[in-house]
Amino acid sequence: MNQTARYLSAALLAATMGLEADGHDLEIHADRPGADISPTMYGLFFEDINYAADGGLYAEKIKNRSFEFPQNFMGWQTFGGIELRDDGPFERNPHYVRLSAAGHPEKHSGLINEGFFGIGIGRGEEYRFSVWARVPEGGSSKLVVQIASQSSWQESQEIASATITIDSKEWKKYTAVLKSDVTDTHACLRIFLAKPDNGDDDTHDGLDEVTVDVEHVSLFPVNTWKGQENGLRADLAQALYDIRPGVLRFPGGCVVEGTDLGTRYQWKNTVGPVENRPLNENRWHYTFTYRFFPDYYQSGGLGFFEYFRLAEDLGAEPLPIVNVGLACQYQNSDDSGRVPLDSLQPYIQNALDLIEFANGDVESRWGSLRAEMGHPEPFGMKYIGIGNEQWGPEYIERLEPFVAAVRKAHPEIQIVGSSGPNSEGEQFDYLWPQMKRLKADMVDEHFYRPEDWFLSQGKRYDNYDRKGPKVFAGEYACHGKDKQWNHFNASLLEAAFMTGLERNADVVRMATYAPLFAHTDGWQWRPDMIWFDNNRSVKTASYYVQQLFSKNKGSYVLPLTMDKKPVAGGEGQHGLFASAVYDKDTDEIVVKTVNTSDSVQSLDFSFKGIGRKHKVISVAITTFTADDPDADNTLDKPDTIVPTEQASQEAGPDKWSTEIGPKTFCIYRFALK
Ligand code: AHR
C-alpha cells in the first residue's frame, strides 16, 4: 500500500471508529505583511568534496591531464617509448610526455587514462579531445586517439577513434571530435603513436615513428551545460538550475582552509588559461581513513571565473569564501596552521583582489583578467565570506584586520563571518558576540545534526536579535543517528526546520543545504543533495525539499498561528510545522505545512484581513511524502520519491479544511481574487 492509500485508510479508520483526527486551526493574517523573503533564499553550497568538481560538475574526463600529480603517471598506464619531461610550455604545469618509437614493428608507444572511476560516455554523444603537442625534431607524426571500453570480454574495445596529424615543432593545441555509439560508464582514453604508413594495408608498418610530445590531454563532452568551453556536466548543472537558487557559495567548505596552509584554496591559481592553473591537493584526499582517495587533486579547471559564471547563469548571487589565514582547525591545533598576524597582509590583499576580479574596471589589474577571460562586465559580487567554519580567538584576531580593510576599500560589500562548526555551545556563544562587535553583516551557521535536533529547532530564530548580523544557515543537513545516508525522513525534518527559517525571514537571509554533490564511487561524506556516477545523476529527497522551498518562496511573510498560538513546531504542536508567505507575482497565499508525526492531522485554514476586494478562490496542493521514510531515490530508481501536484480545487472565500497525511510535507497555494 502506498503512502496516500495508507493515509486514506487511516482517515477512514478514524472516521468509522468515531475518532476525530486531531484538528488544528491555522489562522493567516493576510493584512499584516511581515518581513520580505530575501531573494538569496534558498541557495547552493558548492564544495569540491566527494569528487564534486574534478570528476563531477567539471565536465573534464581526464584525470591528471597535465601529468602534475606527485606520482606523475597516476591515473595513466604507459607503454612503449615513454619519457616524462619537465620543460613544457606551461610554466606552472611544466611536465609533459615524450612518445617515441618503441623499437619493434609490433610495439606501440602510448598512454591510457582511466578517468575518474572510468570515463562515462553516452550513445550518440560527441566528445571533444584536445592535446597540446609538438614534433620536437620536426617532420610530422600521427597520433591515434581512442575512447575504448575497459571490459576485457568485449570483442572490440575500441568505441570511437580519430587520428591527429602533429605537424609543428612549436607547441600547438590539436583537437578532434569523437562520437560514441554505445553507453559505457567505465571507458578509458588511449592515445598512441601511429605507425608510419608505407602504402600497403598493413597497419604494423615500420619502426620509425616520429617522436611527439604531449601535454594537457583533455576530453570534454561537446554537450556541456550551455555549450560552454571548459564547461560543466549538463545534467548536474541543470539540476542546480532547476532549484532556482538565490545564492551560490563556493568553493567550500574545508577546502577553503586546506589540510595545511600550503593546500588551502587559492583563487588566483584557478584563473587564467586552464593549461597553466597549478594543481592543488584536495583536502578530502585522506580526511577519513575509512575512505582514502590518494588521487583526489584539484586541477583548478573549475575555478573562480567558472564559479562566477555559473552563479550568473543560475541567477544566483555569488558568495565566494576566502581563507582568513587559518588552515583547517580540526587538522591543525597549533601555530603551524596559523598565519602570523604580522604576515596576514597578502591574505587580505587576496580578498581585495578578488573583489577587483569580480567587479573591477576592465582597466584594473584583476578586472582586465576577467575581461580577457571573456567577461568584461562585472559579476556584481555583493558578498564575501571571510574564513570557513573557523573558531576561537585565533579566528577573531585575523578576521578583524580583514573586516577593516574590506570596509575601507569596499563599503558596498557585505561581510559574512562564522559561528564555528557547531549549532550551539561554547564556540558558538563566543563567536556570535564577536560578530556583533565586528559588525559582520551575516553569520554563517553550520549544523549537521540528528533528527531530534531538527525536531526541536522550530523556534530557533524566533528570539534572535533583530538588530544584529543576519543569519546565513550556510551548511546544514539532518544526519540520522543510525542512518548516515540519505533518506526521506531526514528531508522531511529539514523541511520542518526550514519553515522556521521562512517565518524568521527578517533574520535568516540565506540558507544552503550541504554538501551538494557526491560521486557514488568517490564520496567521503554523506548524506548529500545530488548523487551521480559517470553518466547518471539522482536528485535526493533533500533536493526536492530545497527545490520546493525555493520555487514557493513568495515575497513576504504572513503571520500565522496554530491553535491560537505562535507556530513553533515540534511535539508541543503534534509534530506539525508551518509557515505562510504572500507571493505578489501570482497573488497567492502560500502555506507550507510539514507533518512529522505518524498520524493524519486535520487542518482548518482561516484567512483574516483579506479585505473586501479579495477572497480565496482556489487552492493548488503539492504533496511530498514516501512509502518508506528510510528510503531515498537511487540512480536506478530516481523517481521513487518526488513531489506530486494536484489539480487546483475550489476553496474559500475565507476558510478551507483538509487533512495532511503522516510524514508528509504539503504546500498549499491559495489563489486570491
Ligand atoms: O560539508 C562538509 C564539511 O562540513 C565542510 O567542508 C565544512 O565546512 C564542514 O565541516
Side-chain angles (χ1 to χ4, degrees):
M1 188 164 27
N2 68 25
Q3 174 79 343
T4 315
R6 257 195 282 133
Y7 150 59
L8 288 173
S9 56
L12 190 65
L13 184 68
T16 50
M17 290 173 69
L19 298 174
E20 290 274 305
D22 284 339
H24 299 284
D25 293 325
L26 289 167
E27 202 170 272
I28 294 136
H29 289 266
D31 56 346
R32 292 197 226 144
D36 66 300
I37 308 283
S38 169
T40 46
M41 297 289 279
Y42 296 82
L44 302 171
F45 159 86
F46 183 92
E47 174 165 24
D48 187 4
I49 182 174
N50 305 319
Y51 288 81
D54 292 281
L57 182 62
Y58 185 49
E60 173 64 88
K61 291 180 178 291
I62 304 302
K63 183 168 71 187
N64 190 12
R65 64 186 173 186
S66 295
F67 309 101
E68 294 301 331
F69 282 24
Q71 296 166 43
N72 299 78
F73 285 115
M74 197 176 225
W76 295 95
Q77 289 176 50
T78 64
F79 49 94
I82 294 288
E83 185 193 349
L84 179 74
R85 299 174 66 96
D86 64 2
D87 57 343
F90 307 114
E91 198 193 346
R92 298 200 287 182
N93 288 322
H95 291 96
Y96 65 96
V97 171
R98 177 157 291 178
L99 304 180
S100 315
H104 185 282
E106 295 298 327
K107 287 187 180 173
H108 286 82
S109 299
L111 298 154
I112 301 177
N113 191 272
E114 68 187 24
F116 298 91
F117 314 102
I119 289 178
I121 47 162
R123 187 186 164 93
E125 294 294 325
E126 291 184 320
Y127 298 91
R128 184 169 290 115
F129 169 83
S130 67
V131 64
W132 283 79
R134 67 173 179 182
V135 273
E137 285 140 21
S140 93
S141 188
K142 286 193 178 3
L143 207 55
V144 180
V145 182
Q146 293 177 342
I147 296 175
S149 158
Q150 298 192 73
S151 321
S152 52
W153 52 267
Q154 275 183 335
E155 210 168 279
S156 162
Q157 294 188 352
E158 183 188 318
I159 292 171
S161 179
T163 303
I164 298 173
T165 304
I166 313 297
D167 57 4
S168 168
K169 264 182 106 166
E170 302 307 320
W171 285 101
K172 257 177 47 183
K173 185 174 176 178
Y174 296 83
T175 61
V177 171
L178 288 87
K179 187 168 181 177
S180 169
D181 56 6
V182 299
T183 294
D184 190 334
T185 312
H186 297 106
C188 63
L189 181 88
R190 305 198 282 221
I191 47 179
F192 54 91
L193 284 183
K195 298 279 177 188
D197 186 354
N198 291 342
D200 59 27
D201 284 341
D202 185 355
T203 51
H204 300 191
D205 273 322
L207 290 173
D208 49 353
E209 298 103 301
V210 175
T211 296
V212 173
D213 291 339
V214 293
E215 159 67 315
H216 197 88
V217 181
S218 170
L219 185 73
F220 270 86
V222 169
N223 175 29
T224 56
W225 194 55
K226 291 180 167 283
Q228 284 162 345
E229 252 184 66
N230 194 44
L232 307 178
R233 213 177 110 167
D235 59 331
L236 298 182
Q238 186 63 38
L240 301 185
Y241 180 80
D242 289 344
I243 284 192
R244 305 286 189 274
V247 65
L248 175 70
R249 171 183 156 185
F250 56 88
C254 291
V255 297
V256 170
E257 304 159 54
T259 305
D260 45 32
L261 284 166
T263 52
R264 72 191 188 278
Y265 195 97
Q266 300 190 55
W267 72 267
K268 287 179 184 167
N269 288 344
T270 72
V271 292
V274 283
E275 294 86 351
N276 208 19
R277 298 184 192 174
L279 192 77
N280 193 27
E281 183 183 280
N282 190 302
R283 178 245 184 273
W284 297 103
H285 187 117
Y286 32 40
T287 304
F288 299 119
T289 47
Y290 64 94
R291 289 186 72 78
F292 274 128
F293 289 96
D295 64 347
Y296 200 176
Y297 286 86
Q298 299 178 306
S299 69
L302 173 53
F304 263 42
F305 179 84
E306 290 77 19
Y307 283 126
F308 278 113
R309 180 175 67 177
L310 173 63
E312 184 171 82
D313 289 342
L314 295 173
E317 292 295 342
L319 169 51
I321 314 285
V322 291
N323 187 294
V324 70
L326 291 172
C328 178
Q329 288 172 276
Y330 285 113
Q331 294 174 309
N332 300 270
S333 52
D334 59 15
D335 280 350
S336 62
R338 300 173 188 167
V339 178
L341 294 180
D342 59 6
S343 308
L344 261 187
Q345 191 46 38
Y347 287 71
I348 295 172
Q349 193 56 46
N350 200 48
L352 299 176
D353 291 345
L354 174 61
I355 300 170
E356 185 177 291
F357 176 73
N359 294 351
D361 193 88
V362 293
E363 304 299 324
S364 66
R365 173 165 175 217
W366 292 102
S368 69
L369 175 60
R370 183 193 69 241
E372 250 171 58
M373 292 183 75
H375 203 288
E377 310 77 30
F379 280 117
M381 166 181 163
K382 297 181 187 141
Y383 307 93
I384 189 165
I386 303 175
N388 176 40
E389 55 177 29
Q390 322 300 158
W391 65 79
E394 62 269 38
Y395 173 41
I396 297 306
E397 60 197 11
R398 284 169 179 74
L399 178 61
E400 203 156 355
F402 271 82
V403 171
V406 172
R407 289 275 183 251
K408 187 165 174 223
H410 293 285
E412 75 285 4
I413 296 287
Q414 295 199 32
I415 295 176
V416 182
S418 159
S419 60
N422 298 315
S423 47
E424 48 270 307
E426 204 184 316
Q427 287 303 343
F428 187 90
D429 294 343
Y430 164 72
L431 288 164
W432 255 101
Q434 296 294 334
M435 292 300 138
K436 288 185 183 175
R437 182 177 70 78
L438 294 179
K439 296 194 171 50
D441 296 289
M442 278 192 204
V443 178
D444 179 5
E445 296 190 349
H446 291 183
F447 18 88
Y448 298 102
R449 309 289 277 130
E451 289 101 332
D452 53 357
W453 186 90
F454 274 83
L455 271 172
S456 69
Q457 295 298 303
K459 282 167 64 172
R460 179 179 178 89
Y461 295 109
D462 291 3
N463 300 318
Y464 264 51
D465 179 359
R466 269 39 209 174
K467 297 202 185 90
K470 303 296 178 199
V471 170
F472 168 32
E475 289 185 35
Y476 67 92
C478 175
H479 284 203
K481 267 202 195 103
D482 316 310
K483 302 179 208 98
Q484 288 291 328
W485 59 84
N486 285 87
H487 59 288
F488 171 78
N489 199 49
S491 77
L492 188 76
L493 298 180
E494 286 151 10
F497 172 71
M498 289 170 78
T499 59
L501 305 184
E502 190 161 274
R503 282 187 291 100
N504 288 284
D506 55 333
V507 169
V508 185
R509 305 299 281 170
M510 292 180 188
T512 55
Y513 176 99
L516 183 54
F517 283 122
H519 194 299
T520 51
D521 296 327
W523 61 271
Q524 294 84 45
W525 180 293
R526 61 179 187 181
D528 305 285
M529 198 158 90
I530 300 168
W531 286 81
F532 58 90
D533 67 10
N534 285 341
N535 283 333
R536 302 173 298 167
S537 51
V538 55
K539 297 164 177 166
T540 63
S542 293
Y543 172 96
Y544 286 111
V545 165
Q546 296 297 318
Q547 188 187 47
L548 287 170
F549 269 84
S550 185
K551 285 185 153 180
N552 293 282
K553 67 179 168 210
S555 314
Y556 55 78
V557 178
L558 292 176
L560 166 76
T561 57
M562 193 188 297
D563 302 326
K564 307 281 179 217
K565 292 192 205 114
V567 180
E571 279 174 22
Q573 288 180 323
H574 306 267
L576 276 178
F577 292 75
S579 56
V581 295
Y582 173 70
D583 186 336
K584 63 179 188 221
D585 295 333
T586 58
D587 196 17
E588 286 173 307
I589 293 172
V590 185
V591 185
K592 301 182 183 76
T593 309
V594 184
N595 180 7
T596 61
S597 80
D598 289 323
S599 342
V600 177
Q601 309 217 38
S602 303
L603 306 176
D604 300 315
F605 291 91
S606 59
F607 303 93
K608 305 291 174 199
I610 296 186
R612 284 216 185 94
K613 277 196 261 161
H614 259 95
K615 58 183 178 182
V616 169
I617 52 164
S618 63
V619 59
I621 309 171
T622 303
T623 304
F624 190 55
T625 191
D627 288 345
D628 175 2
D630 285 348
D632 204 342
N633 298 322
T634 63
L635 286 173
D636 291 330
K637 291 188 177 166
D639 298 324
T640 310
I641 305 173
V642 292
T644 54
E645 286 177 20
Q646 268 169 257
S648 165
Q649 53 181 277
E650 245 180 68
D654 58 3
K655 283 193 172 72
W656 182 70
S657 296
T658 190
E659 286 183 340
I660 182 166
K663 298 216 175 285
T664 298
F665 170 28
C666 277
I667 300 180
Y668 306 100
R669 293 194 74 103
F670 295 96
L672 301 172
K673 192 178 163 191

